[in-house]
Amino acid sequence: MPAEDGKMRLTDTADTEQILRIIQSIPSPKSEPFKLWLAAVGKDRIEETFDPELSIDRALVTYLKQGYSREWINQRLQAIQVRKELVDEWADRGVKGGEYAILTDEITQA
């Protein structure tokens, strides 16, 4: 990775999944709140697999906490649904890989 002096330096890095696995492996009472949080989030995501409406409710609550208006939230959720339908249509018509990026860029510019 580039250092402050501009030179490349070897360093240890980890992605999000690896960081969470490290937290799970820490045998310390101080890590327990993080482990409990990870378990709760995991449970929520499993429940959302069986009832996808729960993820919509979670998004709604999150946007409200961030201060967005109900109108903005409704438009955002509708845009997500429209984009999903569009991507499904592209998949049905054989769009592959990088073509999604090209099509999405075209729509964004329009």
Side-chain angles (χ1 to χ4, degrees), residues 81-95:
Q81 179 60 32
V82 167
R83 185 173 59 235
K84 182 190 173 314
E85 291 171 3
L86 181 60
V87 169
D88 289 346
E89 182 66 26
W90 290 343
D92 291 344
R93 294 179 180 260
V95 173

Side-chain angles (χ1 to χ4, degrees), residues 1-108:
M1 297 186 88
E4 289 182 12
D5 62 4
K7 294 181 181 178
M8 297 299 284
R9 305 278 190 220
L10 289 177
T11 186
D12 293 328
T13 62
D15 63 20
T16 304
E17 182 179 354
Q18 293 165 334
I19 295 293
L20 295 174
R21 294 289 292 152
I22 290 168
I23 291 169
Q24 288 176 321
S25 70
I26 298 171
S28 166
K30 290 184 177 184
S31 70
E32 198 59 29
F34 294 107
K35 292 177 183 181
L36 292 172
W37 174 77
L38 286 172
V41 170
K43 175 185 161 282
D44 290 346
R45 296 310 172 270
I46 290 170
E47 289 175 352
E48 289 172 3
T49 300
F50 295 109
D51 184 2
E53 190 172 329
L54 294 174
S55 63
I56 295 169
D57 293 341
R58 181 173 48 86
L60 177 67
V61 169
T62 300
Y63 286 136
L64 286 171
K65 285 181 182 177
Q66 292 175 345
Y68 291 103
S69 69
R70 286 218 177 250
E71 294 90 26
W72 184 93
I73 295 168
N74 287 333
Q75 288 177 341
R76 175 73 175 139
L77 295 177
Q78 287 175 355
I80 291 169
Q81 179 60 32
V82 167
R83 185 173 59 235
K84 182 190 173 314
E85 291 171 3
L86 181 60
V87 169
D88 289 346
E89 182 66 26
W90 290 343
D92 291 344
R93 294 179 180 260
V95 173
K96 294 179 179 69
E99 295 172 335
Y100 283 106
I102 294 167
L103 291 169
T104 301
D105 187 49
E106 287 296 322
I107 289 171
T108 301

